[in-house]
Amino acid sequence: MIKFIDLFAGIGGIRLPFDELGYHCVFSSEWDKSASITYKANFGDEPAGDITRIAAETIPRHDLLLAGFPCQTFSIMGKRQGFLDTRGTMFFEIARIIDYHHPSIILLENVKQLTTHDKGRTFETILQVLDKQGYHLKWRVLNALDFGLPQKRERVIIVGFLDKCECDAFNFDFPKKKYDLSKILERDEDVDKTLFASERIIEKRVANTQGKKLFYPSIWHENKAGNISVLDHACALRTGASYNYLLVNGVRRPSSRELLRLQGFPDSFKIVVPYGEIRKQTGNSVAIPMIRAVAGKIDLIIKSKRQWNTQSCVTEVNCTQTNLI
């Protein structure tokens, strides 16, 4: 059984696809109390708290490390302080644990802006640290829209392997899947009435969309400048955005279930915290179908390695020429 750990776990968006594959989570950490409540309700595990207070030697041995480390410091909406911001140093907590355990595979997730922060120097530092720890790396900016979710959410995914042959066998080539907003939305009559915008807000939205093509279903997005876009998908869910920055059909905010669906969580996922916390938790979470696609390729490589029972690139079949690519 493949063992993994789930760092900066949030509500388990990165974990879920690996649970589906039958992998075994031996440790998780999450400092936010409300997110931990959601995590425990859905996975049965109560995450350890602040990772900075956890000694690496107390973490169980594992084959795979997962981490969606704090991203606000690198994002468009943040102040872009990078490693000057305490949250930016959370990567080095990951590096500390990797340095002690050296798991065979690592998977890291962050905002697209990480790749360009400080003219690319921050990202280059991260790659250099992982390279010095012995990892062969591949990375790509992926968009949730390409994985069947009606949400424009671009994230950088970094995958690292200690085995170069395994890294050579991995790629980020995925077929694009169509998304359908109608499959995400609930009926208005089933949505809490407190989520409907006031008449003043609705009138303002209508006034700001004069001359624009309106269609339904749609999500109306208001940017910082007050401009309104009418879209067949949501813009990226955000933790600190105005309550009205996304309005379904221009009249109401997305429900808790809709927010979870926009990240790819199944309807069986339990909602055990208030709406405001779900907004925060989904804004901090990941697009599950995106992670599921990456997890599937990692799983193929692991299974191929077991099939050929080798640690070397010199095998009966050259791994870079198999159907893993």
Side-chain angles (χ1 to χ4, degrees):
M1 181 178 292
I2 304 299
K3 298 178 180 179
F4 70 92
I5 64 172
D6 191 16
L7 305 181
F8 309 102
I11 59 175
I14 298 181
R15 170 178 175 164
L16 190 58
F18 289 95
D19 275 5
E20 294 170 349
L21 290 169
Y23 292 14
H24 179 51
C25 184
V26 295
F27 175 84
S28 60
S29 73
E30 171 54 48
W31 71 273
D32 185 86
K33 298 298 183 184
S34 181
S36 294
I37 290 171
T38 295
Y39 193 97
K40 183 177 181 180
N42 285 281
F43 297 100
D45 304 333
E46 184 168 359
D50 186 352
I51 194 64
T52 66
R53 298 174 179 270
I54 298 170
E57 57 267 27
T58 65
I59 296 174
R61 289 288 175 183
H62 49 278
D63 309 290
L64 169 66
L65 178 146
L66 310 176
F69 55 108
C71 64
Q72 292 91 336
T73 184
F74 304 119
S75 72
I76 290 175
M77 303 309 296
K79 296 181 180 180
R80 301 192 182 191
Q81 294 299 302
F83 289 131
L84 298 178
D85 186 312
T86 302
R87 292 170 299 179
T89 64
M90 288 299 101
F91 166 73
F92 291 105
E93 295 300 322
I94 298 171
R96 171 177 66 88
I97 294 167
I98 288 175
D99 194 52
Y100 183 87
H101 286 282
H102 273 87
S104 299
I105 305 172
I106 59 175
L107 189 161
L108 309 181
E109 178 267 352
N110 211 291
V111 294
K112 178 179 74 169
Q113 289 74 26
L114 175 62
T115 63
T116 56
H117 177 266
D118 193 19
K119 299 181 179 179
R121 287 188 284 266
T122 297
F123 192 60
E124 185 62 29
T125 298
I126 289 173
L127 298 182
Q128 288 176 358
V129 169
L130 296 174
D131 177 73
K132 289 179 180 179
Q133 290 181 318
Y135 287 89
H136 304 278
L137 305 168
K138 288 187 177 176
W139 64 272
R140 181 78 59 86
V141 173
L142 302 176
N143 190 338
L145 284 175
D146 297 330
F147 294 85
L149 282 183
Q151 181 194 178
K152 184 180 180 181
R153 191 177 190 86
E154 296 175 294
R155 293 295 184 268
V156 61
I157 304 294
I158 306 170
V159 179
F161 300 85
L162 288 178
D163 188 318
K164 185 178 184 301
C165 186
E166 293 179 7
C167 187
D168 289 342
F170 180 87
N171 66 61
F172 284 103
D173 298 331
F174 302 104
K176 290 186 178 182
K177 295 183 178 180
K178 293 182 178 181
Y179 58 85
D180 185 348
L181 181 61
S182 67
K183 294 182 178 179
I184 296 292
L185 300 180
E186 297 183 289
R187 299 185 307 168
D188 282 354
E189 52 265 39
D190 295 331
V191 173
D192 190 325
K193 299 307 178 185
T194 63
L195 296 180
F196 283 78
S198 67
E199 288 187 13
R200 180 182 64 83
I201 293 293
I202 293 174
E203 289 173 358
K204 181 181 176 182
R205 290 292 190 278
V206 171
N208 287 340
T209 55
Q210 292 297 317
K212 295 184 178 181
K213 181 181 179 181
L214 302 183
F215 58 91
Y216 305 92
S218 57
I219 293 184
W220 298 20
H221 171 253
E222 181 179 38
N223 64 17
K224 276 191 166 184
N227 296 318
I228 307 297
S229 299
V230 180
L231 307 167
D232 65 351
H233 60 270
C235 292
L237 303 183
R238 306 200 311 260
T239 58
S242 159
Y243 264 65
N244 297 309
Y245 87 109
L246 294 180
L247 290 182
V248 176
N249 295 324
V251 298
R252 66 172 177 83
R253 297 177 284 276
S255 69
S256 292
R257 182 58 65 195
E258 288 169 339
L259 289 170
L260 287 164
R261 288 174 180 173
L262 283 169
Q263 290 286 38
F265 284 91
D267 283 357
S268 58
F269 196 83
K270 299 174 184 176
I271 299 173
V272 294
V273 296
Y275 178 74
E277 292 298 332
I278 289 293
R279 286 185 74 245
K280 178 181 176 182
Q281 290 169 12
T282 52
N284 279 328
S285 193
V286 299
I288 291 176
M290 177 193 299
I291 300 298
R292 184 179 288 122
V294 174
K297 288 205 173 184
I298 291 174
D299 187 55
L300 281 175
I301 289 170
I302 291 173
K303 288 177 178 176
S304 177
K305 182 175 181 178
R306 287 181 171 180
Q307 178 182 354
W308 295 107
N309 192 27
T310 180
Q311 297 288 335
S312 170
C313 285
V314 182
T315 64
E316 295 180 46
V317 175
N318 184 337
C319 69
T320 64
Q321 296 179 350
T322 69
N323 60 6
L324 295 178
I325 296 179

